[in-house]
Amino acid sequence: MSSLARYHGRSPRYILSTEDDSLIRVAGPKQTPWEEGTEIRNVSLTGLAFTAPDDLCPLLGEVIKIQFTPPGSKQMACYGIVTRLDNINNQRTLVGVHFYKMEMAARIVLAQGLARRFKETQERGQIDDLLNRAKPSISLRQFPEIMMMTVLGAAWCMLILGLFHFQYTGMAEFLKKFF
Protein backbone atom coordinates (compact mmCIF):
# COMPACT_ATOMS: atom_id res chain seq x y z
CA MET A 1 0.00 0.00 0.00
CA SER A 2 1.42 3.36 -1.00
CA SER A 3 -0.09 6.44 0.53
CA LEU A 4 0.24 10.20 0.76
CA ALA A 5 -3.04 10.34 2.68
CA ARG A 6 -1.41 11.36 5.95
CA TYR A 7 -0.44 14.66 4.31
CA HIS A 8 -3.99 15.49 3.21
CA GLY A 9 -6.98 16.24 5.48
CA ARG A 10 -10.02 13.98 5.08
CA SER A 11 -13.77 14.44 5.39
CA PRO A 12 -16.49 11.88 6.22
CA ARG A 13 -16.99 9.46 3.35
CA TYR A 14 -20.26 8.76 1.56
CA ILE A 15 -20.29 5.19 0.26
CA LEU A 16 -22.25 5.09 -2.98
CA SER A 17 -25.47 3.09 -3.06
CA THR A 18 -26.92 1.21 -6.02
CA GLU A 19 -28.97 4.18 -7.27
CA ASP A 20 -25.87 6.41 -7.47
CA ASP A 21 -23.89 6.76 -10.69
CA SER A 22 -20.54 5.14 -9.92
CA LEU A 23 -18.80 5.68 -13.27
CA ILE A 24 -15.76 7.96 -13.34
CA ARG A 25 -13.84 9.27 -16.32
CA VAL A 26 -10.11 9.76 -15.72
CA ALA A 27 -7.33 11.43 -17.72
CA GLY A 28 -3.68 11.78 -16.77
CA PRO A 29 -1.22 14.31 -18.22
CA LYS A 30 -0.02 11.89 -20.90
CA GLN A 31 -3.11 9.69 -21.20
CA THR A 32 -6.27 9.97 -23.20
CA PRO A 33 -9.45 9.91 -21.07
CA TRP A 34 -10.63 6.44 -20.10
CA GLU A 35 -13.55 5.14 -18.09
CA GLU A 36 -13.83 1.41 -18.72
CA GLY A 37 -13.25 -0.64 -15.62
CA THR A 38 -13.58 2.30 -13.23
CA GLU A 39 -16.02 2.51 -10.37
CA ILE A 40 -16.32 5.09 -7.58
CA ARG A 41 -16.25 3.48 -4.14
CA ASN A 42 -16.76 6.54 -1.92
CA VAL A 43 -16.75 10.31 -2.13
CA SER A 44 -16.34 13.19 0.33
CA LEU A 45 -15.81 16.96 0.23
CA THR A 46 -12.05 16.47 0.04
CA GLY A 47 -11.69 13.56 -2.37
CA LEU A 48 -12.87 10.22 -3.64
CA ALA A 49 -11.76 6.64 -4.08
CA PHE A 50 -12.28 4.59 -7.22
CA THR A 51 -11.13 1.31 -8.70
CA ALA A 52 -9.06 1.16 -11.85
CA PRO A 53 -7.43 -1.55 -13.96
CA ASP A 54 -3.72 -1.93 -13.18
CA ASP A 55 -2.64 -1.15 -16.75
CA LEU A 56 -4.45 2.23 -16.69
CA CYS A 57 -3.76 3.12 -13.06
CA PRO A 58 -2.31 6.60 -12.42
CA LEU A 59 0.91 7.08 -10.45
CA LEU A 60 1.14 8.12 -6.82
CA GLY A 61 1.35 11.94 -6.61
CA GLU A 62 0.13 12.40 -10.19
CA VAL A 63 -2.41 15.16 -10.90
CA ILE A 64 -5.31 13.72 -12.90
CA LYS A 65 -8.51 15.15 -14.29
CA ILE A 66 -11.63 13.34 -13.12
CA GLN A 67 -15.19 13.62 -14.35
CA PHE A 68 -17.97 12.10 -12.26
CA THR A 69 -21.53 12.57 -11.04
CA PRO A 70 -21.72 13.35 -7.31
CA PRO A 71 -24.63 11.76 -5.40
CA GLY A 72 -27.83 13.71 -6.05
CA SER A 73 -26.19 16.14 -8.46
CA LYS A 74 -25.13 16.77 -12.06
CA GLN A 75 -21.90 15.68 -13.68
CA MET A 76 -18.81 17.70 -12.76
CA ALA A 77 -15.12 17.71 -13.56
CA CYS A 78 -12.12 18.67 -11.44
CA TYR A 79 -8.48 17.89 -10.83
CA GLY A 80 -7.19 15.60 -8.14
CA ILE A 81 -3.89 14.40 -6.70
CA VAL A 82 -3.47 10.64 -6.38
CA THR A 83 -2.80 10.11 -2.67
CA ARG A 84 -3.31 6.37 -2.27
CA LEU A 85 -2.89 3.19 -4.31
CA ASP A 86 -4.08 -0.11 -2.81
CA ASN A 87 -3.99 -3.38 -4.74
CA ILE A 88 -7.39 -5.07 -4.62
CA ASN A 89 -6.38 -8.08 -6.68
CA ASN A 90 -3.97 -8.87 -9.54
CA GLN A 91 -5.80 -6.71 -12.07
CA ARG A 92 -7.44 -3.91 -10.04
CA THR A 93 -6.24 -1.09 -7.81
CA LEU A 94 -8.11 1.19 -5.43
CA VAL A 95 -7.07 4.79 -6.17
CA GLY A 96 -7.52 7.51 -3.53
CA VAL A 97 -7.71 11.06 -4.90
CA HIS A 98 -7.60 14.39 -3.04
CA PHE A 99 -9.41 17.18 -4.93
CA TYR A 100 -6.98 19.81 -6.19
CA LYS A 101 -8.00 23.47 -6.60
CA MET A 102 -11.69 22.64 -6.95
CA GLU A 103 -13.76 25.66 -7.95
CA MET A 104 -16.13 27.05 -5.32
CA ALA A 105 -19.24 26.39 -7.45
CA ALA A 106 -18.26 22.73 -7.88
CA ARG A 107 -17.47 22.42 -4.16
CA ILE A 108 -20.91 23.84 -3.29
CA VAL A 109 -22.66 21.44 -5.69
CA LEU A 110 -20.73 18.54 -4.18
CA ALA A 111 -21.50 19.66 -0.60
CA GLN A 112 -25.22 20.02 -1.34
CA GLY A 113 -25.41 16.60 -3.00
CA LEU A 114 -23.55 14.91 -0.13
CA ALA A 115 -25.64 16.72 2.51
CA ARG A 116 -28.83 15.59 0.79
CA ARG A 117 -27.60 11.97 0.70
CA PHE A 118 -26.41 12.03 4.33
CA LYS A 119 -29.83 13.39 5.39
CA GLU A 120 -31.69 10.73 3.36
CA THR A 121 -29.49 8.03 4.86
CA GLN A 122 -30.09 9.37 8.38
CA GLU A 123 -33.86 9.58 7.83
CA ARG A 124 -33.89 6.08 6.39
CA GLY A 125 -32.04 4.87 9.50
CA GLN A 126 -34.53 6.59 11.80
CA ILE A 127 -37.45 5.02 9.93
CA ASP A 128 -35.79 1.61 10.16
CA ASP A 129 -35.29 2.14 13.90
CA LEU A 130 -38.97 2.98 14.33
CA LEU A 131 -40.06 -0.04 12.30
CA ASN A 132 -37.71 -2.41 14.13
CA ARG A 133 -38.53 -1.09 17.60
CA ALA A 134 -40.19 -3.71 19.82
CA LYS A 135 -43.89 -3.25 20.38
CA PRO A 136 -44.59 -2.06 23.94
CA SER A 137 -46.23 -4.68 26.10
CA ILE A 138 -48.75 -3.99 28.85
CA SER A 139 -47.15 -4.09 32.26
CA LEU A 140 -48.80 -4.95 35.56
CA ARG A 141 -48.46 -1.32 36.65
CA GLN A 142 -50.84 -0.31 33.86
CA PHE A 143 -53.46 -2.92 34.79
CA PRO A 144 -55.53 -0.72 37.21
CA GLU A 145 -55.66 2.08 34.66
CA ILE A 146 -56.78 -0.28 31.90
CA MET A 147 -59.45 -1.80 34.16
CA MET A 148 -60.74 1.67 35.09
CA MET A 149 -60.93 2.67 31.42
CA THR A 150 -62.82 -0.56 30.63
CA VAL A 151 -65.36 -0.02 33.45
CA LEU A 152 -65.90 3.64 32.47
CA GLY A 153 -66.27 2.70 28.79
CA ALA A 154 -68.86 0.01 29.61
CA ALA A 155 -70.79 2.41 31.90
CA TRP A 156 -70.76 5.08 29.17
CA CYS A 157 -72.09 2.60 26.59
CA MET A 158 -74.87 1.46 28.93
CA LEU A 159 -75.86 5.08 29.64
CA ILE A 160 -76.04 5.97 25.94
CA LEU A 161 -78.02 2.81 25.10
CA GLY A 162 -80.41 3.50 28.00
CA LEU A 163 -81.01 7.07 26.82
CA PHE A 164 -81.70 5.97 23.26
CA HIS A 165 -84.07 3.22 24.46
CA PHE A 166 -85.98 5.65 26.72
CA GLN A 167 -86.13 8.24 23.99
CA TYR A 168 -87.65 5.87 21.44
CA THR A 169 -90.02 4.08 23.82
CA GLY A 170 -91.01 7.39 25.41
CA MET A 171 -91.68 8.89 21.98
CA ALA A 172 -93.91 5.93 21.01
CA GLU A 173 -96.03 6.31 24.19
CA PHE A 174 -96.25 10.07 23.65
CA LEU A 175 -97.55 9.55 20.10
CA LYS A 176 -100.14 6.95 21.29
CA LYS A 177 -101.74 9.55 23.60
CA PHE A 178 -102.50 11.90 20.74
CA PHE A 179 -103.39 9.44 17.98
Side-chain angles (χ1 to χ4, degrees):
M1 171 179 116
S2 354
S3 176
L4 295 175
R6 66 177 170 247
Y7 302 111
H8 295 277
R10 296 184 67 180
S11 293
R13 305 284 167 201
Y14 172 74
I15 298 172
L16 274 66
S17 58
T18 54
E19 64 265 6
D20 294 320
D21 185 7
S22 62
L23 187 66
I24 183 171
R25 187 178 179 96
V26 180
K30 298 176 185 163
Q31 292 179 326
T32 57
W34 50 272
E35 60 188 36
E36 68 262 352
T38 61
E39 179 185 5
I40 298 176
R41 289 293 177 93
N42 63 50
V43 63
S44 74
L45 289 176
T46 56
L48 58 80
F50 66 95
T51 58
D54 281 344
D55 58 338
L56 297 174
C57 188
L59 303 173
L60 189 64
E62 184 177 8
V63 176
I64 59 173
K65 184 173 184 178
I66 49 180
Q67 183 178 359
F68 66 103
T69 305
S73 186
K74 296 179 181 175
Q75 194 171 55
M76 62 182 281
C78 63
Y79 290 98
I81 300 173
V82 177
T83 59
R84 190 176 81 224
L85 296 172
D86 292 333
N87 284 332
I88 297 173
N89 56 33
N90 292 340
Q91 296 131 358
R92 305 199 55 71
T93 300
L94 180 68
V95 180
V97 176
H98 185 85
F99 296 132
Y100 179 69
K101 295 184 181 179
M102 182 184 280
E103 295 178 12
M104 187 55 70
R107 194 171 296 277
I108 290 170
V109 167
L110 180 61
Q112 289 173 341
L114 288 175
R116 200 174 307 119
R117 288 297 184 177
F118 279 130
K119 184 177 179 186
E120 289 171 4
T121 304
Q122 183 182 20
E123 288 172 353
R124 215 174 298 141
Q126 289 172 347
I127 290 170
D128 288 345
D129 289 346
L130 288 173
L131 292 175
N132 294 332
R133 187 178 293 168
K135 303 287 188 259
S137 60
I138 298 173
S139 67
L140 290 177
R141 291 183 296 164
Q142 295 171 327
F143 186 73
E145 296 166 357
I146 293 172
M147 283 303 295
M148 183 59 99
M149 288 190 299
T150 304
V151 167
L152 288 174
W156 181 254
C157 288
M158 290 183 351
L159 176 68
I160 296 296
L161 289 173
L163 287 175
F164 280 129
H165 179 70
F166 175 74
Q167 183 180 5
Y168 290 123
T169 57
M171 185 65 79
E173 290 174 15
F174 178 73
L175 291 175
K176 283 182 189 177
K177 288 181 187 178
F178 293 104
F179 298 109

